[in-house]
Amino acid sequence: GAVVSQHPSWVICKSGTSVKIECRSLDFQATTMFWYRQFPKQSLMLMATSNEGSKATYEQGVEKDKFLINHASLTLSTLTVTSAHPEDSSFYICSARANRDPTYEQYFGPGTRLTVT
Amino acid sequence: KNQVEQSPQSLIILEGKNCTLQCNYTVSPFSNLRWYKQDTGRGPVSLTIMTFSENTKSNGRYTATLDADTKQSSLHITASQLSDSASYICVVIPVFRAQKLVFGQGTRLTINP
């Protein structure tokens, strides 16, 4: 149980285009999902917290107009990188917290490798 | 200063040997501490979860310890296998703002045959 999937697993796009990454909780409902980015040899950095049916909460320094987050259902959150630039190339990981889980366990997806050329 | 510090940054050992990874934290108060394994190009996978009142937790060849007095945790890997090559991340969950995990920088472990 507690499986989180991401799609695509890797994507290459041209500078200036937009790319959408999906995060799904496959066997549980998740009111809250989280988006992280990870640069090589560094740990995960929280970008934003995605709440079903409401606006995402972005961490300081993360441009909300560039990284659009939509959490339209209890099992799906999407991250859209708009007008992508080479510096947006990174490993993007989502996680999901099961509803009413008192341990606040976050289950991580397998990640999406984004390369902007 | 990072609230969760891990050491060493990287470690290379021979297959079959044991090793211990360290995690020092300043996050306080905290509800639980977790160790994750992250294979290259994959998302983190939970190995152990310990509440602040627990001292040790095992998961197969992985044994985590926690000393809340000294604010230290360790992850001991027994009889290492090639598949243990990965990054190991120590994560602390604060009591306040529990949704914002505090990550260590990770230890990159390489197992050589």
Side-chain angles (χ1 to χ4, degrees):
Chain A
V3 177
V4 175
S5 70
Q6 283 185 239
H7 177 79
S9 56
W10 60 270
V11 58
I12 301 173
C13 70
K14 292 187 176 181
S15 187
T17 62
S18 296
V19 61
K20 180 186 287 187
I21 303 170
E22 293 185 348
C23 176
R24 293 182 185 272
S25 57
L26 297 185
D27 50 2
F28 65 99
Q29 292 186 331
T31 303
T32 307
M33 291 184 173
F34 307 85
W35 287 96
Y36 297 85
R37 66 188 298 180
Q38 185 178 31
F39 293 107
K41 297 185 179 180
Q42 295 188 23
S43 196
L44 284 71
M45 291 187 342
L46 181 64
M47 298 175 65
T49 301
S50 168
N51 300 295
E52 187 266 337
S54 65
K55 291 183 179 180
T57 303
Y58 291 82
E59 294 299 302
Q60 191 174 8
V62 177
E63 300 175 58
K64 62 180 180 181
D65 295 329
K66 179 170 185 60
F67 298 99
L68 301 179
I69 292 173
N70 184 278
H71 194 155
S73 78
L74 288 173
T75 59
L76 173 64
S77 175
T78 61
L79 169 69
T80 300
V81 183
T82 63
S83 187
H85 290 282
E87 56 265 31
D88 297 325
S89 298
S90 188
F91 192 52
Y92 291 86
I93 303 173
C94 74
S95 71
R97 182 171 80 89
N99 290 353
R100 295 181 292 278
D101 178 359
T103 71
Y104 288 90
E105 174 83 56
Q106 289 186 27
Y107 300 96
F108 290 89
T112 296
R113 171 75 58 192
L114 170 63
T115 302
V116 184
T117 61
Chain B
K1 179 171 166 44
N2 196 6
Q3 297 184 72
V4 178
E5 296 279 354
Q6 290 186 242
S7 62
Q9 276 192 326
S10 61
L11 180 63
I12 302 173
I13 64 172
L14 291 175
E15 184 180 11
K17 298 296 186 182
N18 304 335
C19 66
T20 300
L21 314 181
Q22 300 289 344
C23 173
N24 295 342
Y25 61 92
T26 60
V27 179
S28 182
F30 72 98
S31 61
N32 56 85
L33 184 148
R34 301 167 186 171
W35 283 91
Y36 287 89
K37 177 186 179 186
Q38 184 178 21
D39 292 311
T40 301
R42 305 291 294 175
V45 174
S46 180
L47 293 175
T48 62
I49 302 174
M50 289 182 293
T51 66
F52 64 91
S53 61
E54 293 180 292
N55 298 122
T56 186
K57 183 68 69 75
S58 290
N59 177 3
R61 294 181 296 103
Y62 301 102
T63 299
T65 64
L66 174 62
D67 186 334
D69 291 331
T70 61
K71 293 185 169 56
Q72 294 180 327
S73 177
S74 65
L75 180 69
H76 186 75
I77 303 175
T78 305
S80 61
Q81 300 175 359
L82 296 178
S83 59
D84 292 332
S85 294
S87 287
Y88 291 83
I89 306 172
C90 175
V91 180
V92 180
I93 292 78
V95 170
F96 306 111
R97 297 197 73 192
Q99 298 201 122
K100 190 166 183 180
L101 310 184
V102 185
F103 290 84
Q105 292 296 97
T107 292
R108 178 69 205 176
L109 176 64
T110 302
I111 311 298
N112 284 337

